[in-house]
Amino acid sequence: MNREQLRDYRAQTVPLFNSQKLKLGVFALNCSGGSIITNFPTDRQMSWDYNKSVIQLADRIGMEIALPIGRFKGQGGSSNHNGSSYEVYTWAAAMAAATENIMCFATSHVALTHPVVAAKQAATIDHVSRGRFGLNVVMGWFAEEMAMFNVALRKHDDRYRYGDEWLSVVKRLWSEDGGFDFEGEYLKLVGLESEPKPIQRPGPVLVNAGTSPAGVDFSARNVDICFGSPAKPEDIDQLLAVKTIADEKYNRDVALMCSALVVCRDTEQEAQAAFQDILDNGDWEAARSMLRALGVQSGPCNEGYDQRMRRFVAGYGTRPLVGTPEQIVDMLIDYSNRGLHGIVFYFKDYLSELTYFSERVMPLLKQAGLRH
Ligand SMILES: Cc1cc2nc3c(=O)[nH]c(=O)nc-3n(C[C@H](O)[C@H](O)[C@H](O)COP(=O)(O)O)c2cc1C
């Protein structure tokens, strides 16, 4: 399939490529704390019923993306942030069976999952969901988590070289009939085969969230959606480089999306107060441990560190969207005008806040032409 054929095929068959101008989704529901590193009381529960209720609601209101976090170890601190989590492939398979249209994603840490296993798991969920599976390909950054597998974290850019090989094997298993051998720098595999093929051709939707130069090039070369982490609206303009590189260097389409904490209330004061509560109850020790794992240290030369810590506590480093329904929609219009294709949300209380979002924000998004 050439680029135009792939575009047409996906527009007709894959929900993520429907005609909605701004794609929407729910992120990080499967992990305790999600993407908010705080001890603030919440109605969310680590239960399957709670997970299913939220994603079924997202599906009913037409959202396109259910994106979990692949995590095996907590971040310590008083909350042991993300310390309790559902495994993502099994989560996606069960969620696929419980939903109609939303795309259900899993995450593969390439160094922790063998590509033959990952390819087959993905094909299986693509069948369960009738073509609604997506895979987030993660290179890994949390050394203590990888130590649980006795796997060492490679040097930063080498992780992407390994990821390239891993994904080449997976893509070939999804698309090639008959057996093949693979001889790369890291992977040497003999007599590879995998049946059945996924429903989606040439394979399930692929996602990556690398924003380093190596990560952006990997995304441009290999995946369909790159998730950036904008700290401010103008960052979107820079993150769009991934689209240009994909287009000019690799003759491919890549969409840019991001994640964000949403705190939406009837008045701005209420929204700011709820946001402040998240910060006041922040688990700073867990946030520090996460930043350390990501290679960000505090120190005299790191003036932005405290600000970055606050952004991590309230949303994994991306700009939180705080305000009234009208203000939230204005922020989303601005993101869309800058070229963002989609956004996945996390909430403090997913069920009640997603209900509020569907009643108060969705109609305004329709009026604004971002949804229909
Ligand atoms: C939307 C989104 C989803 C992510 N999902 C995961 C995940 O499931 N597991 C994980 O370990 N890291 C996850 N990450 C973290 C990214 O993998 C990490 O930021 C990336 O590896 C950094 O790459 P870079 O060094 O190339 O910028 C996610 C990040 C974003 C923005």
Side-chain angles (χ1 to χ4, degrees), residues 3-82:
R3 192 173 171 181
E4 282 69 35
Q5 287 166 331
L6 183 60
R7 223 181 261 160
D8 290 349
Y9 160 80
R10 285 183 156 167
Q12 284 163 30
T13 59
V14 184
L16 193 56
F17 298 95
N18 65 20
S19 56
Q20 300 288 359
K21 190 161 180 206
L22 187 69
K23 313 292 191 265
L24 300 177
V26 172
F27 178 43
L29 178 67
N30 67 311
C31 289
S32 60
S35 293
I36 312 171
I37 312 177
T38 180
N39 285 303
F40 190 71
T42 160
D43 76 2
R44 61 176 301 202
Q45 300 149 19
M46 271 307 296
S47 76
W48 175 249
D49 284 344
Y50 186 87
N51 269 249
K52 190 169 71 171
S53 300
V54 172
I55 299 300
Q56 285 181 331
L57 174 58
D59 191 27
R60 270 199 308 281
I61 66 174
M63 288 184 160
E64 287 83 12
I65 307 162
L67 181 66
I69 296 184
R71 186 86 301 133
F72 295 97
K73 191 179 182 66
Q75 298 287 343
S78 52
S79 64
N80 192 22
H81 179 68
N82 287 173

Side-chain angles (χ1 to χ4, degrees), residues 10 21 41 84 94 98 125 133 206 209 211 245 267 282 288 302 333-334 342 346:
R10 285 183 156 167
K21 190 161 180 206
S84 175
I125 305 173
F133 179 66
L206 291 167
T211 47
I245 297 170
T267 66
R288 211 170 291 116
N302 199 342
I333 292 171
D334 178 45
Y346 26 98

Side-chain angles (χ1 to χ4, degrees), residues 264 325 328-329 332 356-366:
C264 186
I328 299 292
V329 170
L332 294 176
Y356 180 88
F357 188 93
S358 78
E359 289 166 359
R360 299 291 313 277
V361 182
M362 282 300 237
L364 299 179
L365 287 174
K366 288 180 185 168

Side-chain angles (χ1 to χ4, degrees), residues 152-191:
L153 195 57
R154 292 190 168 86
K155 283 196 194 130
H156 185 274
D157 290 6
D158 291 348
R159 297 174 209 164
Y160 284 101
R161 293 213 325 229
Y162 179 81
D164 261 324
E165 285 191 14
W166 187 96
L167 202 50
S168 298
V169 172
V170 168
K171 285 181 174 181
R172 289 183 65 183
L173 285 166
W174 283 343
S175 58
E176 282 186 28
D177 294 323
F180 65 94
D181 297 344
F182 185 91
E183 170 122 17
E185 185 184 343
Y186 303 98
L187 293 170
K188 296 177 198 330
L189 308 169
V190 180

Side-chain angles (χ1 to χ4, degrees), residues 44-358:
R44 61 176 301 202
Q45 300 149 19
M46 271 307 296
S47 76
W48 175 249
D49 284 344
Y50 186 87
N51 269 249
K52 190 169 71 171
S53 300
V54 172
I55 299 300
Q56 285 181 331
L57 174 58
D59 191 27
R60 270 199 308 281
I61 66 174
M63 288 184 160
E64 287 83 12
I65 307 162
L67 181 66
I69 296 184
R71 186 86 301 133
F72 295 97
K73 191 179 182 66
Q75 298 287 343
S78 52
S79 64
N80 192 22
H81 179 68
N82 287 173
S84 175
S85 71
Y86 287 130
E87 190 281 323
V88 282
Y89 276 94
T90 40
W91 184 93
M95 210 53 93
T99 51
E100 296 293 327
N101 293 306
I102 197 164
M103 306 272 313
C104 299
F105 280 77
T107 301
S108 259
H109 288 81
V110 293
L112 306 183
T113 319
H114 196 280
V116 174
V117 178
K120 195 170 259 307
Q121 287 173 323
T124 305
I125 305 173
D126 210 37
H127 280 243
V128 174
S129 63
R130 297 185 304 280
R132 290 185 287 121
F133 179 66
L135 183 61
N136 180 14
V137 189
V138 173
M139 302 308 123
W141 50 269
F142 189 11
E144 288 170 40
E145 178 175 72
M146 296 180 66
M148 286 171 53
F149 296 76
N150 196 23
V151 170
L153 195 57
R154 292 190 168 86
K155 283 196 194 130
H156 185 274
D157 290 6
D158 291 348
R159 297 174 209 164
Y160 284 101
R161 293 213 325 229
Y162 179 81
D164 261 324
E165 285 191 14
W166 187 96
L167 202 50
S168 298
V169 172
V170 168
K171 285 181 174 181
R172 289 183 65 183
L173 285 166
W174 283 343
S175 58
E176 282 186 28
D177 294 323
F180 65 94
D181 297 344
F182 185 91
E183 170 122 17
E185 185 184 343
Y186 303 98
L187 293 170
K188 296 177 198 330
L189 308 169
V190 180
L192 291 161
E193 59 177 49
S194 191
E195 292 290 340
K197 301 301 181 206
I199 304 252
Q200 292 172 74
R201 311 302 301 155
V205 170
L206 291 167
V207 162
N208 176 250
T211 47
S212 60
V216 167
D217 199 67
F218 177 89
S219 283
R221 195 163 61 248
N222 287 309
V223 304
D224 306 298
I225 299 165
C226 176
F227 274 89
S229 299
K232 51 188 187 310
E234 300 74 42
D235 290 348
I236 304 269
D237 311 347
Q238 261 92 59
L239 292 164
L240 282 168
V242 70
K243 272 176 67 65
T244 315
I245 297 170
D247 179 39
E248 293 174 2
K249 196 166 160 193
Y250 301 112
N251 189 27
R252 299 184 67 249
D253 292 322
V254 174
L256 180 70
M257 298 195 183
C258 75
S259 63
L261 165 68
V262 171
V263 183
C264 186
R265 300 289 186 276
D266 289 348
T267 66
E268 192 177 345
Q269 289 82 344
E270 285 172 89
Q272 288 296 347
F275 178 65
Q276 191 57 45
D277 274 341
I278 291 174
L279 290 178
D280 290 346
N281 288 278
D283 180 353
W284 304 99
E285 195 186 333
R288 211 170 291 116
S289 130
M290 194 166 176
L291 277 177
R292 206 180 308 117
L294 282 161
V296 183
Q297 304 283 351
S298 69
C301 302
N302 199 342
E303 283 170 28
Y305 185 77
D306 288 347
Q307 208 181 350
R308 209 156 166 185
M309 281 271 280
R310 275 196 294 281
R311 273 208 314 277
F312 256 81
V313 161
Y316 268 17
T318 60
R319 170 195 182 212
L321 306 182
V322 182
T324 64
E326 290 75 13
Q327 289 171 320
I328 299 292
V329 170
D330 283 346
M331 294 177 213
L332 294 176
I333 292 171
D334 178 45
Y335 274 3
S336 173
N337 287 341
R338 288 177 186 277
L340 196 81
H341 284 93
I343 181 161
V344 290
F345 299 126
Y346 26 98
F347 302 95
K348 186 174 68 62
D349 297 324
Y350 279 83
L351 202 48
S352 52
E353 295 190 53
L354 187 59
T355 304
Y356 180 88
F357 188 93
S358 78

